[in-house]
Amino acid sequence: MDFRHPFITNPRIAIYYGLFWGVAAVANILVLTISNNFNAVEAIVQVCAFMLSFAVIGAAIWYVIKFSTLENNSFWRVVFAHAIAASIIIFIWMYFGVVTIKLFHPDPVGWFEQNRMANGIFTGYAMYTIYVVFFYAINYYNGFKEKLRSEGKLKALVKEAELHALKSQINPHFLFNSLNSISSLTMTDPEKAQEMVINLSQLMRYSLKHDQNEKVSFKQELENNKLYLHIEKVRFGKKLNPSFEIDEKSFKAEIPNMILQPLYENAIKYGVYEATDPVDVKTVSTMTEKGLEVIISNTYDPNVLSKKGEGIGLRNIRERLQIIYGNQGLLKISDNKKEFVVTLTIPQK
């Protein structure tokens, strides 16, 4: 439990507290001099002896609040603790006030008779009650803020865990397909298989290198995916025609790493696998008011029977966008039965 006084942890509260009592002291001095016929010195002595001294002594009530919270104590135990603390604080306050008055007031006996000690004690208990309400409010407000901070940290940890889980789904999925491609070339074309292994190792090194950094430059991400396309180009030859129209301004844009690879994987899986004619896989990037816009499209033959449906890759991208940007609508898909188009918008700060 944090026992630090709010006047120390939050200097703004201490400043407002001092301003409040400063204004109240000036007002009280004016009332005493104008309405009660006190001279200025007597009014200042009285205000310092009782009003401002309680402002100082009353700050200690915070520690009574912290040691007697309702969460850890019964109601009557809290009431008893405050009754004891109030009596001690009021005794110290009254003792200090009486000594101060005797030191500075020319007729202290007359002053005490005039102002009645009983009223002073009653005022002390009333002030103590106000302080208790004030400090309990601060205590619960600080607790509420701490709870929000804890929930924020917990959400961040959950997001991090979810991202790692999603990435662990993406990488094995890609690795499985790439190894199948390499396997198919091992016997028929060992040189191309070797080339694919080299490209694959560079691709996996990129993935592992940025495992702890969820965002990279678009240029890095694009170069990484060119490695992937090169791997598949070796396998499919002329059937796969990748092309790029890249706005140089988009190179520096930040993008979640490994988020484009499932899009290329889908374009090849649903456009190239069963195709007999060349398939164009086109990448266009521009910077818009909404951020980086990446459009990846692939032509396909609608008469060729191929696997339908939205795979794990696109679903994972939507989930990653939801986790990172809170908006899975940043991924849009269109299909005119000849061309499949995916538009990805990545907000920039």
Side-chain angles (χ1 to χ4, degrees):
M1 184 178 292
D2 187 2
F3 290 98
R4 291 178 298 173
H5 202 285
F7 292 170
I8 297 174
T9 57
N10 191 345
R12 184 178 298 179
I13 295 178
I15 292 173
Y16 289 148
Y17 182 81
L19 289 174
F20 171 79
W21 281 111
V23 172
V26 171
N28 200 1
I29 290 171
L30 292 176
V31 170
L32 291 174
T33 54
I34 296 173
S35 301
N36 295 11
N37 298 321
F38 278 51
N39 62 46
V41 175
E42 291 175 342
I44 292 172
V45 169
Q46 176 159 327
V47 168
C48 292
F50 290 100
M51 176 179 280
L52 296 184
S53 64
F54 198 96
V56 175
I57 298 171
I61 296 173
W62 166 259
Y63 298 102
V64 183
I65 297 292
K66 298 300 291 183
F67 279 101
S68 57
T69 58
L70 289 171
E71 289 84 356
N72 301 322
N73 300 278
S74 66
F75 173 78
W76 290 112
R77 187 168 182 174
V78 172
V79 171
F80 179 73
H82 280 298
I84 296 297
S87 299
I88 294 173
I89 288 176
I90 290 170
F91 173 79
I92 296 173
W93 170 61
M94 290 297 296
Y95 180 80
F96 175 82
V98 169
V99 170
T100 304
I101 292 296
K102 283 186 175 181
L103 288 175
F104 294 96
H105 202 282
D107 183 18
V109 176
W111 185 91
F112 290 127
E113 289 178 350
Q114 180 183 357
N115 291 276
R116 298 177 182 178
M117 293 292 290
N119 288 342
I121 295 173
F122 175 78
T123 302
Y125 278 103
M127 292 290 292
Y128 184 92
T129 303
I130 293 173
Y131 267 75
V132 167
V133 174
F134 172 65
F135 281 132
Y136 265 125
I138 291 178
N139 189 39
Y140 281 108
Y141 175 71
N142 289 341
F144 177 71
K145 287 202 304 182
E146 182 61 30
K147 183 180 179 183
L148 290 181
R149 281 196 292 268
S150 299
E151 288 180 350
K153 291 179 181 177
L154 181 61
K155 287 180 180 177
L157 291 174
V158 171
K159 278 187 176 182
E160 186 179 352
E162 289 176 343
L163 281 172
H164 280 290
L166 289 173
K167 288 185 69 177
S168 67
Q169 290 177 337
I170 291 172
N171 293 337
H173 190 56
F174 157 72
L175 187 60
F176 174 77
N177 288 286
S178 298
L179 290 176
N180 273 345
S181 299
I182 294 171
S183 176
S184 65
L185 288 172
T186 302
M187 300 299 294
T188 60
D189 196 336
E191 291 184 359
K192 286 186 178 179
Q194 184 181 18
E195 183 181 352
M196 290 180 68
V197 169
I198 294 173
N199 288 335
L200 180 61
S201 67
Q202 292 177 349
L203 190 60
M204 295 310 296
R205 186 181 299 114
Y206 169 88
S207 174
L208 294 173
K209 180 180 178 182
H210 296 282
D211 188 53
Q212 299 302 319
N213 183 7
E214 293 300 333
K215 291 182 182 178
V216 296
S217 70
F218 175 63
K219 185 177 182 179
Q220 287 177 290
E221 178 69 3
L222 189 62
E223 292 299 324
N224 171 65
N225 281 279
K226 284 181 177 178
L227 288 174
Y228 170 76
L229 291 172
H230 189 66
I231 291 171
E232 297 294 53
K233 176 69 177 175
V234 171
R235 178 185 177 193
F236 292 104
K238 294 181 180 179
K239 284 176 60 178
L240 173 61
N241 292 322
S243 62
F244 301 88
E245 291 183 13
I246 307 300
D247 179 2
E248 291 188 358
K249 295 179 180 177
S250 61
F251 278 143
K252 295 183 179 179
E254 287 190 335
I255 187 171
N257 70 314
M258 296 294 290
I259 202 168
L260 296 183
Q261 188 273 331
L263 299 180
Y264 290 115
E265 188 174 303
N266 271 13
I268 294 171
K269 183 176 181 181
Y270 298 109
V272 181
Y273 271 29
E274 305 297 335
T276 55
D277 297 326
V279 173
D280 297 323
V281 177
K282 186 176 181 180
T283 303
V284 178
S285 75
T286 54
M287 293 300 296
T288 68
E289 294 181 354
K290 296 180 180 179
L292 171 65
E293 184 177 88
V294 182
I295 301 174
I296 298 175
S297 61
N298 68 275
T299 57
Y300 70 94
D301 185 352
N303 297 318
V304 174
L305 183 62
S306 61
K307 294 181 179 179
K308 300 294 184 182
E310 191 171 289
I312 188 174
L314 293 179
R315 188 170 69 249
N316 281 347
I317 290 176
R318 282 203 172 93
E319 291 178 2
R320 290 186 71 185
L321 293 172
Q322 176 64 37
I323 292 172
I324 298 172
Y325 302 104
N327 183 5
Q328 59 176 260
L330 298 173
L331 179 70
K332 295 180 180 177
I333 297 171
S334 65
D335 184 359
N336 62 9
K337 304 303 179 183
K338 292 183 179 178
E339 186 180 41
F340 190 80
V341 181
V342 177
T343 302
L344 182 65
T345 303
I346 304 296
Q348 302 296 304
K349 292 180 180 177

